[in-house]
Amino acid sequence: MIKIAVMGFGTVGSGVVEVLAGNAEHIARNAGSGIEVKYILDTRDFPDSPYQHMLTHDFSDIENDAEVQVVVEAMGGVGAAYEFTRRCLAAGKSVVTSNKELVATRGQELLSIAQSKNVNYLFEASVGGGIPIIRPITQCLAANEITQIYGILNGTTNYILTQMIRNGSSFEDALRSAQSKGYAELNPAADIEGHDACRKICILSDLCFGKNVDPACVSTEGITGIHSEDVVLAGKGGYVIKLLGRALRREDGRIHAYVAPHLLSESSLLAGVDGVMNGIVVNGNALGEAMFYGAGAGKFPTASAVVADVIDAAKHLNARKPLGWDEAEEDYVAPTEELVSRWYIRAQATEAELKALYGDVTVLEGAAEGECAVITAPISGKLQQEKAEKLTVFAAMRIMD
Amino acid sequence: MIKIAVMGFGTVGSGVVEVLAGNAEHIARNAGSGIEVKYILDTRDFPDSPYQHMLTHDFSDIENDAEVQVVVEAMGGVGAAYEFTRRCLAAGKSVVTSNKELVATRGQELLSIAQSKNVNYLFEASVGGGIPIIRPITQCLAANEITQIYGILNGTTNYILTQMIRNGSSFEDALRSAQSKGYAELNPAADIEGHDACRKICILSDLCFGKNVDPACVSTEGITGIHSEDVVLAGKGGYVIKLLGRALRREDGRIHAYVAPHLLSESSLLAGVDGVMNGIVVNGNALGEAMFYGAGAGKFPTASAVVADVIDAAKHLNARKPLGWDEAEEDYVAPTEELVSRWYIRAQATEAELKALYGDVTVLEGAAEGECAVITAPISGKLQQEKAEKLTVFAAMRIMD
């Protein structure tokens, strides 16, 4: 019997405890041993919970109990979660987490502590919730040079955009709907301003390209600037608007990594990823393109990924799984303005003015009086900005080709 | 440096050798050691190949060379491939394969030899080509009771159906197009009659549900009976026709496993999997639904999966990865006729006759003079057949709900 502790008894932590209980027999078969929760750490009490007897308020109970070999960190944030994770690893315990903020900002350091102690720090649930993505990248695609990874990494913003696309909702109404359904927080900034997606694309880039990407270096644009007009115009041109996190390797060895709304062709598979679902596309030089799809958040999908990591940690108690990435040069993340794309532009201009400025463009039908919307030929972000400064531009988004 | 042998220098075998050479540095980093091909086994010579010097015609060169620790079997079939795999495992070498026929029919036996010798028998490439699916099921979904798995498992038939759906081609024309592009063999029976998909759903079912499924017990229907009329009528009703392999757990612990054309809602993600691509959907009790998409065949995608397994085998030379399933009771696979679905029926009948027979049905517009096409309420295959015997039925396919 392997003893574990769960730190944080919120949505994910309680989901982990419930999945471990509900699928106990199946999990024991897969892990080669039963898995038992010995402690649950939380500042609160849960007198009505059947798990109250496992509750402790004192981290040192876990830290000092040699019987606890695997610890689930489901606290969130980078304060106590960072401190406790560091100390668990230092005490020779493997740690499993769904905490994308911590992995994105401190992952490299925590992985090197894990390495020095020959234990594991696993974080499948930090990206894509229940979707298997970390292990497929690190193991199944190990024969490939990965050239690009991108996807719909945040379910809240995808729900809002889906409401705008399918029901013609305004951004404000779609946000209220997301909040009423529990998909968006009362303070939704981390989601709608793209910070959550930013942390996830950093982790994916770290793993795919082998060097650390600091979220602070990643240009991040959310969905608050998207207008219903653009959703409609894009639709008439055969596109949908999706918030993508994207990282790609350049020929000079540097990468681009950024978060921004994009226009995707309606016929692309990712365009069909609706509501709170996530979809992640990987391009490898041998594999070609693969896509992974599923619930990007939620109590049980996320718990599913956490528990899979617990099983893996339990099977590798004395055999560290190689996982990690290197420090990067200061200019590793190249300026997003250098990246060339086709662009969607909506401006206060005539067709003739836009053609004079952008050259050969495709005009989208249905723009309002006095406005014009076009798809440009491929140009860099810098050139696009220089041209846009000569006009009143209402919207500029990259096309994902 | 880890020495390996490649048996069979056809499409997959040569792809494996080329990926190992082309991505050597990247692969060595992931494997923790360089990987070197010491022998290539084939009955033919390849005087113009840069790899001719590795060629041997004698299996015992590999079998008796203790330095060879991992062997790739890319021969196909169940004759020599079975014999050589058995002997490699017995000699204490791990074996990696893309041979779905061998895994589906002899996998359980070969896995138990691997277990007794503490080596690995790995077969990620046997299902879904380059798509990571075996490892995600066995590791990432280890916390889940899987309830169902189904998907588009054969690229040749999906290419043919896509031509029929998108271009209005007849089955015969679409098959000729597939042959001219090299997607279908001159003798296409294994693909178009569903046998390839059958082997793959057997392997997926073995892994998801833990008991051996003999391909001979799996009801298998291909796409040769699909008419253009049905493609058009389905399209008018918002459906596309796809060949699915499907396995699902019943409440009594038995399973259904079968291959047949199905109608899928156009709005489902799987309906957008076109051409030679594959898509596999898994339902888990914690995860909900996940989908995996990518190239289901092809030289480099398949080689990508084989080489990932070689890397994994190289990292687990003295640590067998738990993989396997149990013998099943004789009646483990329940009769497909007992499975309840909505059905698409096209018959020589009036709307009134079909309503009298099937009860509340949805009529699809556009049937030919004297015919009627409907979607029924959920009924078992047995009941459907009994009713169909009272009419001249031209087409009957399940709806995938």
Side-chain angles (χ1 to χ4, degrees), chain B residues 169-198:
Chain B
S169 305
S170 69
F171 171 77
E172 292 73 19
D173 286 346
L175 172 58
R176 268 192 295 274
S177 161
Q179 286 171 324
S180 74
K181 285 183 189 293
Y183 298 151
E185 320 240 346
L186 277 178
N187 178 355
D191 291 318
I192 64 176
E193 290 176 4
H195 302 305
D196 178 78
C198 171

Side-chain angles (χ1 to χ4, degrees), chain A residues 378-390:
Chain A
I379 54 173
S380 72
K382 185 157 185 288
L383 195 56
Q384 192 286 115
Q385 277 167 15
E386 285 170 12
K387 291 180 188 292
E389 276 163 17
K390 298 178 182 158

Side-chain angles (χ1 to χ4, degrees), chain A residues 208-384:
Chain A
C208 288
F209 304 127
K211 289 187 185 174
N212 193 60
V213 175
D214 180 349
C217 299
V218 172
S219 153
T220 300
E221 182 187 339
I223 62 166
T224 53
I226 297 177
H227 296 97
S228 303
E229 298 94 300
D230 298 308
V231 171
V232 171
L233 285 165
K236 286 186 177 161
Y239 295 95
V240 295
I241 299 177
K242 294 287 187 184
L243 182 67
L244 300 184
R246 185 179 180 205
L248 62 164
R249 191 197 295 272
R250 304 191 345 160
E251 291 197 357
D252 64 1
R254 296 163 75 198
I255 65 159
H256 289 296
Y258 68 101
V259 174
H262 286 71
L263 270 66
L264 275 89
S265 165
E266 272 172 4
S267 66
S268 70
L269 214 54
L270 207 54
V273 174
D274 277 345
V276 294
M277 303 305 271
N278 284 194
I280 302 171
V281 176
V282 190
N283 289 287
N285 71 343
L287 171 70
E289 179 177 293
M291 189 177 105
F292 303 85
Y293 164 86
K299 177 173 181 169
F300 291 113
T302 306
S304 158
V306 170
V307 175
D309 274 350
V310 170
I311 293 170
D312 211 11
K315 285 157 74 176
H316 288 85
L317 287 178
N318 299 301
R320 209 183 76 83
K321 293 171 70 74
L323 190 66
W325 52 86
D326 299 330
E327 195 59 59
E329 308 80 54
E330 201 160 312
D331 67 346
Y332 173 57
V333 179
T336 310
E337 303 89 82
E338 294 178 9
L339 181 64
V340 171
S341 302
R342 296 193 299 147
W343 289 81
Y344 163 84
I345 306 284
R346 177 168 61 91
Q348 192 165 35
T350 63
E351 187 178 322
E353 285 170 326
L354 285 177
K355 282 187 170 168
L357 195 57
Y358 287 97
D360 191 21
V361 297
T362 305
V363 178
L364 298 179
E365 296 303 318
E369 186 73 30
E371 296 184 8
C372 184
V374 298
I375 307 284
T376 72
I379 54 173
S380 72
K382 185 157 185 288
L383 195 56
Q384 192 286 115

Side-chain angles (χ1 to χ4, degrees), chain A residues 66-297:
Chain A
E67 206 181 31
V68 173
Q69 295 181 285
V70 180
V71 179
V72 172
E73 183 268 295
M75 303 163 67
V78 293
Y82 165 64
E83 173 70 11
F84 292 173
T85 298
R86 214 177 42 73
R87 284 165 61 181
C88 284
L89 293 170
K93 301 175 197 302
S94 287
V95 177
V96 168
T97 190
S98 59
N99 186 336
K100 55 216 153 244
E101 190 179 0
L102 185 56
V103 177
T105 55
R106 302 285 200 151
Q108 202 198 349
E109 176 195 347
L110 294 168
L111 282 161
S112 71
I113 300 175
Q115 183 171 15
S116 72
K117 293 290 175 178
N118 201 34
V119 293
N120 291 294
Y121 182 51
L122 303 176
F123 44 86
E124 179 65 71
S126 67
V127 181
I131 307 173
I133 183 69
I134 305 288
R135 207 169 269 101
I137 288 173
T138 53
Q139 294 183 23
C140 307
L141 307 188
N144 286 264
E145 298 271 0
I146 295 174
T147 51
Q148 177 170 214
I149 186 161
Y150 63 95
I152 296 167
L153 301 175
N154 179 273
T156 305
T157 47
N158 202 46
Y159 175 84
I160 292 170
L161 290 173
T162 303
Q163 292 295 108
M164 293 174 76
I165 294 164
R166 304 269 179 235
N167 305 338
S169 305
S170 68
F171 171 77
E172 292 73 18
D173 286 346
L175 172 58
R176 268 192 294 274
S177 162
Q179 286 170 324
S180 74
K181 285 181 188 298
Y183 298 151
E185 319 240 347
L186 277 180
N187 179 355
D191 290 318
I192 64 175
E193 289 175 5
H195 302 306
D196 177 78
C198 171
R199 290 165 192 152
K200 292 168 177 169
I201 197 64
C202 287
I203 298 171
L204 293 174
S205 180
D206 294 342
L207 290 167
C208 288
F209 304 127
K211 289 187 185 174
N212 193 60
V213 175
D214 180 349
C217 299
V218 172
S219 153
T220 300
E221 182 187 339
I223 62 166
T224 53
I226 297 177
H227 296 97
S228 303
E229 298 94 300
D230 298 308
V231 171
V232 171
L233 285 165
K236 286 186 177 161
Y239 295 95
V240 295
I241 299 177
K242 294 287 187 184
L243 182 67
L244 300 184
R246 185 179 180 205
L248 62 164
R249 191 197 295 272
R250 304 191 345 160
E251 291 197 357
D252 64 1
R254 296 163 75 198
I255 65 159
H256 289 296
Y258 68 101
V259 174
H262 286 71
L263 270 66
L264 275 89
S265 165
E266 272 172 4
S267 66
S268 70
L269 214 54
L270 207 54
V273 174
D274 277 345
V276 294
M277 303 305 271
N278 284 194
I280 302 171
V281 176
V282 190
N283 289 287
N285 71 343
L287 171 70
E289 179 177 293
M291 189 177 105
F292 303 85
Y293 164 86

